[in-house]
Amino acid sequence: MANDLHPSALRDQALARAQEAIAAQERLYAAKFSSHHDLESLASATRSLQKMLETRNTPLQSVRSARDMAFMDHALKNMYADAVFRAEFAKAPRTTTARESYRDALNAANMRWLIEHHYAGRKVLVWAHNVHVMNAYYAPGFKDVHLSQRPGDMKPTGSFMKSWLRDNVYNIGITAFEGEEGFAMGGPRTPILPAPAGSLEAC
């Protein structure tokens, strides 16, 4: 997109801010998200790029469609939100209702935009962990699941989508025969014993 922009001043500004965002993200990954300064640099760069996208009657609108601009806005929001989530997880790995619910609310917002705009009128298959796509609520620590939300429960993406799509969405759960489980972002792993004879997983 940036190479097609004119005047060159706007092109150079967009490229510079994009490079700042990418560099800050790379430093955050290298430092395991321990640098508050780099997180602020990423926030500044992504906000600046979003402001460029939001400003009307600029050359940006002449080189990309409104849908492309909206997609880029989502990508920038997610770039920063992902960094914030990882930085908070690095400082305090224990699961919190607010953090997990916010993460899944963003997932649902992204999915809704894709369904309404990018894949409008088409069937959509979303592959994700059961805990994110289920139409239920899970207790802190993932120790229990409730059909009705209780105080302290986290709201997954599936519940957001069910509220919106109602009978036009359904879920398929996946179970495990044996192996081990743990957080994708690191932490202890727990073995999963082989499924007992006669169980669904052993069939």
Side-chain angles (χ1 to χ4, degrees), residues 30-192:
K32 297 183 178 180
F33 294 86
S34 61
S35 171
H36 181 73
H37 173 74
D38 288 328
L39 190 61
E40 286 297 312
S41 295
L42 179 60
S44 176
T46 53
R47 280 197 298 263
S48 179
L49 287 166
Q50 285 179 272
K51 187 174 181 179
M52 291 182 193
L53 294 173
E54 293 167 359
T55 303
R56 300 302 178 190
N57 301 317
T58 71
L60 282 171
Q61 280 77 34
S62 67
V63 297
R64 283 295 184 269
S65 67
R67 190 180 73 171
D68 288 344
M69 302 277 281
F71 181 85
M72 183 57 67
D73 183 64
H74 276 269
L76 289 167
K77 287 178 181 176
N78 280 280
M79 186 180 191
Y80 178 64
D82 175 71
V84 170
F85 181 87
R86 291 176 184 274
E88 291 178 352
F89 187 88
K91 291 188 296 184
R94 184 179 294 276
T95 301
T96 68
T97 296
R99 189 166 67 198
E100 291 294 330
S101 295
Y102 177 66
R103 177 189 181 192
D104 274 63
L106 288 177
N107 290 343
N110 288 331
M111 286 175 57
R112 181 162 184 168
W113 184 87
L114 288 169
I115 291 169
E116 290 182 327
H117 300 280
H118 202 73
Y119 300 110
R122 299 169 63 183
K123 292 182 179 180
V124 176
L125 175 64
V126 177
W127 186 286
H129 194 292
N130 290 346
V131 79
H132 292 296
V133 297
M134 68 181 183
N135 179 30
Y137 305 87
Y138 51 101
F142 310 100
K143 299 299 183 183
D144 201 3
V145 176
H146 308 131
L147 292 178
S148 298
Q149 191 171 19
R150 301 181 184 181
D153 279 359
M154 292 166 274
K155 184 175 182 178
T157 303
S159 293
F160 285 103
M161 301 308 290
K162 185 66 175 180
S163 298
W164 171 45
L165 293 171
R166 300 185 182 278
D167 292 337
N168 291 315
V169 63
Y170 65 91
N171 307 59
I172 301 175
I174 299 175
T175 62
F177 176 77
E178 68 176 319
E180 59 182 15
E181 60 89 18
F183 281 108
M185 294 170 63
R189 296 177 180 269
T190 304
I192 300 174

Side-chain angles (χ1 to χ4, degrees), residues 1-16 52 56-63:
M1 183 192 325
N3 290 334
D4 298 328
L5 282 178
H6 298 283
S8 60
L10 179 59
R11 180 176 66 248
D12 293 343
Q13 182 184 6
L15 280 171
M52 291 182 193
R56 300 302 178 190
N57 301 317
T58 71
L60 282 171
Q61 280 77 34
S62 67
V63 297

